[in-house]
Amino acid sequence: MIQVKEELEIHKGTYTLFFIHSPFCGTCHVARKMLDAIEELWGKEIFYDVNAPLFPDMMQKYKVESVPCLLVLNENEVCEKIYAFHSVPHMLEIVKKYS
């Protein structure tokens, strides 16, 4: 995963997938393993890793309600917010739509 250290400039015409989490969230750790498996399967980094407590403005701007969250943006527009990760195959189907 690509570590986010400051606000990103969103690239035009492409989807950006943010994995938003908290280091103290057990469910987030399970979700991370699912997304890591997808990246390993595809052989490249797909997700931007966002530690929610470090980016409160981003959480408010995109109205992220809880963690874990997979926030999909296209230019600064929210396309989808996924809060229930279910399984690797389920997440793979979602991610395929945006790659």
Side-chain angles (χ1 to χ4, degrees), residues 1-2 32-48 92:
M1 282 193 197
I2 303 161
R32 173 186 293 281
K33 288 181 183 183
M34 290 182 196
L35 300 183
D36 285 343
I38 291 170
E39 286 186 335
E40 189 173 320
L41 188 70
W42 284 12
K44 64 180 181 177
E45 292 179 321
I46 302 166
F47 308 101
Y48 286 88
L92 190 55

Side-chain angles (χ1 to χ4, degrees), residues 3-73:
Q3 295 293 318
V4 174
K5 297 184 177 156
E6 58 188 58
E7 282 287 329
L8 284 179
E9 180 179 315
I10 307 298
H11 301 288
K12 291 188 177 203
T14 61
Y15 293 102
T16 309
L17 287 76
F18 293 97
F19 172 56
I20 302 171
H21 64 90
S22 170
F24 307 110
C25 165
T27 307
C28 296
H29 291 289
V30 174
R32 173 186 293 281
K33 288 181 183 183
M34 290 182 196
L35 300 183
D36 285 343
I38 291 170
E39 286 186 335
E40 189 173 320
L41 188 70
W42 284 12
K44 64 180 181 177
E45 292 179 321
I46 302 166
F47 308 101
Y48 286 88
D49 181 281
V50 178
N51 184 344
L54 299 179
F55 295 94
D57 292 341
M58 182 180 183
M59 302 306 100
Q60 190 170 25
K61 178 178 181 179
Y62 296 113
K63 298 180 176 128
V64 175
E65 298 168 15
S66 67
V67 293
C69 176
L70 183 64
L71 173 66
V72 181
L73 299 180

